[in-house]
């Protein structure tokens, strides 16, 4: 299982089971992410600035959210006090995208047993549990070094040469090219099929059941994660889709890290639009 419910997390905390609770936060503006965390978070949480910990510097060559480097990850492992003795639970304050990114990056970087709090901080509050303000928990001593490459990725060239299934998990209006406010061109990569990651979630942003998720993939001709590459605009929705695939026992899909933001930045790359 890659998810944990609010009640299950509470039982872990009450049972004194070693658990690192990580809030993955991003807000625009200098210091805004930390301010959001300090305003409200789950007790015993550690702060993770998603823009600084979970991505490298954006560029047209690498996309809006490149993979973080090993030194960068190591600094944040220390800040978050990640260690081999504790399970890791990640959550966010929004639609699960930042928690999914944290799950993907930490798992890719060699952290075992990372779980997503299903429904985020809202699910915690719906379960009647308190939130607190302030600086958060003091980090434990970090005993883990990053061991990157534990989940599959795909480069731009690998996407161009891919003979399997390519899934675009952005919303349908962006896939069709009717809407684009973030990247330089509208449309999608030739040969891609569309399954928005949001369709794998319930209205409260919890994951649908494994059976429901498998049925949605089956409807677009995907029965496993093997020979599948997933992309979104910059790796957030695609991280969420891959998390959903693991939740549904469909591991193996590769993340095209640069996503549409990298593809669209090169004028020579072909684009498909749907009238």
């Amino acid at each position: 299982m890659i998810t944990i419910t609010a009640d299950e997390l509470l039982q872990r905390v009450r049972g004194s089971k070693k658990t690192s609770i990580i809030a993955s936060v991003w807000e625009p503006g200098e210091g805004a992410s930390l301010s959001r965390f300090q305003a409200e978070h789950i007790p015993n949480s550690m702060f993770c600035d998603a823009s600084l910990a979970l991505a490298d510097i954006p560029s047209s060559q690498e996309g809006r959210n490149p993979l973080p480097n090993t030194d960068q990850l190591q600094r944040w492992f220390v800040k978050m006090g990640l260690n081999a003795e504790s399970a890791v639970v990640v959550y966010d304050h929004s639609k699960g995208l930042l928690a999914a990114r944290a799950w993907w990056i930490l798992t890719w970087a060699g952290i075992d047993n990372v779980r997503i709090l299903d429904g985020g901080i809202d699910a915690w509050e719906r379960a009647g549990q308190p939130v607190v303000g302030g600086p958060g928990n003091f980090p434990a001593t970090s005993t883990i070094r990053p061991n990157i490459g534990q989940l599959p990725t795909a480069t731009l060239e690998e996407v161009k040469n891919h003979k399997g299934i390519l899934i675009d998990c952005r919303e349908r209006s962006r896939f069709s090219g009717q809407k684009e406010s973030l990247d330089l061109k509208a449309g999608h990569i030739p040969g891609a099929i569309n399954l928005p990651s949001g369709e794998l979630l319930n209205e409260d942003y919890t994951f649908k059941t494994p059976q429901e998720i498998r049925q949605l993939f089956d409807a677009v001709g995907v029965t496993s994660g093997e020979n599948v590459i997933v992309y979104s605009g910059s790796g957030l929705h695609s991280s969420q889709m891959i998390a959903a695939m693991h939740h549904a026992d469909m591991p193996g899909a590769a993340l095209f890290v640069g996503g549409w933001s990298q593809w669209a930045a090169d004028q020579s790359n072909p684009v498909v639009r749907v009238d």
Side-chain angles (χ1 to χ4, degrees):
M1 289 289 292
I2 67 152
T3 61
I4 186 171
T5 68
D7 288 339
E8 289 169 337
L9 177 56
L10 180 63
Q11 292 306 312
R12 284 196 64 88
V13 173
R14 285 180 173 173
S16 299
K17 295 182 178 179
K18 292 183 178 180
T19 309
S20 298
I21 306 173
I22 308 297
S24 182
V25 187
W26 179 83
E27 292 287 339
E30 185 176 354
S33 297
L34 180 58
S35 295
R36 176 68 184 275
F37 172 79
Q38 291 176 335
E40 60 167 4
H41 56 263
I42 294 172
N44 301 320
S45 294
M46 296 297 302
F47 170 63
C48 172
D49 187 322
S51 64
L52 298 179
L54 307 179
D56 207 339
I57 299 171
S59 70
S60 59
Q61 291 76 32
E62 300 294 334
R64 281 188 274 118
N65 287 311
L67 293 177
N69 62 60
T70 301
D71 290 342
Q72 181 181 358
L73 284 168
Q74 183 61 48
R75 289 194 299 272
W76 278 93
F77 279 19
V78 172
K79 287 176 183 288
M80 296 184 289
L82 299 182
N83 61 81
E85 292 74 39
S86 296
V88 177
V89 174
V90 295
Y91 74 93
D92 62 25
H93 294 72
S94 51
K95 300 177 181 180
L97 293 171
L98 297 175
R101 175 72 175 192
W103 169 84
W104 193 95
I105 290 290
L106 294 178
T107 303
W108 168 78
I111 303 296
D112 294 327
N113 196 23
V114 183
R115 299 173 74 180
I116 297 171
L117 176 60
D118 210 11
I121 196 171
D122 289 343
W124 178 261
E125 292 190 85
R126 285 196 302 271
Q129 300 309 315
V131 296
V132 297
N137 212 21
F138 291 105
T141 301
S142 178
T143 59
I144 302 177
R145 292 195 62 83
N147 180 23
I148 62 174
Q150 303 310 305
L151 286 174
T153 59
T155 65
L156 182 69
E157 288 304 314
E158 287 170 334
V159 169
K160 289 180 178 180
N161 296 319
H162 186 54
K163 303 303 182 184
I165 297 173
L166 179 63
I167 304 176
D168 183 320
C169 62
R170 297 173 299 159
E171 59 188 88
R172 298 193 185 280
S173 60
R174 292 187 71 196
F175 175 81
S176 66
Q178 297 171 2
K179 168 188 172 183
E180 186 55 69
S181 58
L182 296 172
D183 295 311
L184 296 178
K185 292 189 286 188
H188 63 265
I189 299 172
I193 62 173
N194 186 217
L195 177 59
S197 65
E199 295 184 9
L200 308 177
L201 307 177
N202 298 307
E203 290 185 1
D204 60 0
Y205 300 112
T206 57
F207 286 106
K208 291 184 175 179
T209 67
Q211 181 181 9
E212 290 172 324
I213 291 171
R214 287 193 294 268
Q215 288 173 342
L216 288 166
F217 277 104
D218 187 63
V220 295
V222 180
T223 57
S224 80
E226 300 303 317
N227 207 26
V228 172
I229 296 176
V230 178
Y231 77 92
S232 56
S234 61
L236 298 184
H237 291 83
S238 43
S239 293
Q240 189 173 58
M241 172 163 279
I242 292 174
M245 296 178 81
H246 280 248
H247 177 59
D249 196 25
M250 298 174 63
L255 175 70
F256 173 29
V257 180
W260 183 249
S261 61
Q262 184 185 21
W263 185 277
D266 187 338
Q267 294 295 326
S268 68
N269 287 331
V271 170
V272 176
R273 298 182 180 88
V274 180
D275 295 329

